[in-house]
Amino acid sequence: MSGTILITGSNRGIGLEVCTQFARDGWRVFACCRDLDSAAALKSLQDAHPRVELIQLDVTDQAQMLSLGEALKGEPIDILLNNAGYYGPKGVRFGKVDRSEWRRVLESNTIAPYMMSETFCDNVAASGHKVIAMMSSKVGSIADNRSGGGYIYRTSKTALNQVVKSLSIDLRERGITVIALHPGWVKTAMGGPGALIATEQSVGGLKKILLEADITYSGRFYDYDGCEIPW
């Protein structure tokens, strides 16, 4: 199949590779990032694939988001992939939590994906495929937490998973599938040098899930390899 995908955080890492793989398959790609001036790789992708449309969007800026919603009104979006996120300070242990950073991470990782879903819900409902996907993380799984710590990033992804579950119920009547995805520990700027898998491998798996997803997938949490992750 081919169609239209809108993805946030598209200027590097996983987001850029998602744009690349879908563009190669002939999809129309709305590639959103916070700063187009520094998105050289994304501009090169657009040069090679004219169906890639670059959009400047800070997902924490509600006015920008609503303006984009108006600009794309009536445009069917087969896949809305909320990929943009902010890790915040690493290695956060008990007694070392920065309150302002916690708020910043929650704004980017939890609130913004919900607001994107609310803003572009009609676009997704008007499409053929009807998928909203959230880039979550296995560290947000309560069942999988065996090491503690990580309060800021963990909680932002756990809360995001709850958003996925609620959206899957609220949007089911409109035929919209809502899923959470774990990309694996990927060799990106966020993943760091010790990461285990290449970006191309992760995105190849994520893409397969995105294309196969139907309403039976909705309200569930998937690893890039297709295995389901417990909440």
Side-chain angles (χ1 to χ4, degrees), residues 48-190:
H49 300 280
R51 297 197 79 199
V52 175
E53 300 180 36
L54 308 188
I55 298 169
Q56 185 149 317
L57 175 66
D58 179 346
V59 295
T60 66
D61 187 325
Q62 184 71 354
Q64 271 192 24
M65 189 185 297
L66 292 175
S67 177
L68 179 59
E70 282 298 313
L72 296 181
K73 194 169 184 179
E75 290 277 0
I77 296 173
D78 290 276
I79 299 173
L80 170 61
L81 177 56
N82 291 297
N83 170 69
Y86 173 56
Y87 193 92
K90 295 187 178 182
V92 177
R93 308 297 298 179
F94 180 74
K96 302 293 183 181
V97 174
D98 184 312
R99 184 184 295 236
S100 62
E101 280 294 295
W102 202 344
R103 289 195 181 102
R104 184 181 174 192
V105 172
L106 286 168
E107 183 71 37
S108 295
N109 295 358
T110 308
I111 299 172
Y114 167 79
M115 298 309 302
M116 285 289 295
S117 302
E118 187 178 271
T119 302
F120 296 100
C121 175
D122 288 345
N123 303 78
V124 176
S127 75
H129 196 45
K130 297 182 173 62
V131 171
I132 296 175
M134 310 293 197
M135 197 64 75
S136 188
S137 172
K138 200 173 184 180
V139 300
S141 168
I142 293 174
D144 191 65
N145 185 354
R146 299 178 182 88
S147 60
Y151 293 97
I152 292 177
Y153 190 69
R154 276 191 192 280
T155 56
S156 73
K157 294 302 186 180
T158 304
L160 177 63
N161 290 348
Q162 187 69 276
V163 168
V164 167
K165 185 63 178 178
S166 283
L167 285 175
S168 74
I169 296 167
D170 293 341
L171 302 182
R172 191 176 188 88
E173 286 187 358
R174 304 191 69 180
I176 295 175
T177 298
V178 188
I179 55 175
L181 299 171
H182 170 59
W185 190 13
V186 186
K187 295 174 182 176
T188 62
M190 184 181 286

Side-chain angles (χ1 to χ4, degrees), residues 6-77:
L6 187 153
I7 175 172
T8 61
S10 63
N11 61 312
R12 64 180 184 178
I14 293 169
L16 178 60
E17 183 62 24
V18 170
C19 290
T20 301
Q21 292 196 22
F22 274 90
R24 285 175 182 163
D25 284 353
W27 278 58
R28 186 181 187 189
V29 179
F30 292 125
C32 304
C33 71
R34 188 171 53 184
D35 183 12
L36 286 178
D37 291 337
S38 62
L42 201 54
K43 290 176 182 177
S44 295
L45 180 66
Q46 184 186 43
D47 290 339
H49 300 280
R51 297 197 79 199
V52 175
E53 300 180 36
L54 308 188
I55 298 169
Q56 185 149 317
L57 175 66
D58 179 346
V59 295
T60 66
D61 187 325
Q62 184 71 354
Q64 271 192 24
M65 189 185 297
L66 292 175
S67 177
L68 179 59
E70 282 298 313
L72 296 181
K73 194 169 184 179
E75 290 277 0
I77 296 173

Side-chain angles (χ1 to χ4, degrees), residues 129-131 172 175-179 209-220 222:
H129 196 45
K130 297 182 173 62
V131 171
R172 191 176 188 88
I176 295 175
T177 298
V178 188
I179 55 175
I209 296 167
L210 289 169
L211 294 178
E212 290 179 351
D214 58 24
I215 204 69
T216 64
Y217 285 61
S218 201
R220 297 162 75 177
Y222 293 96

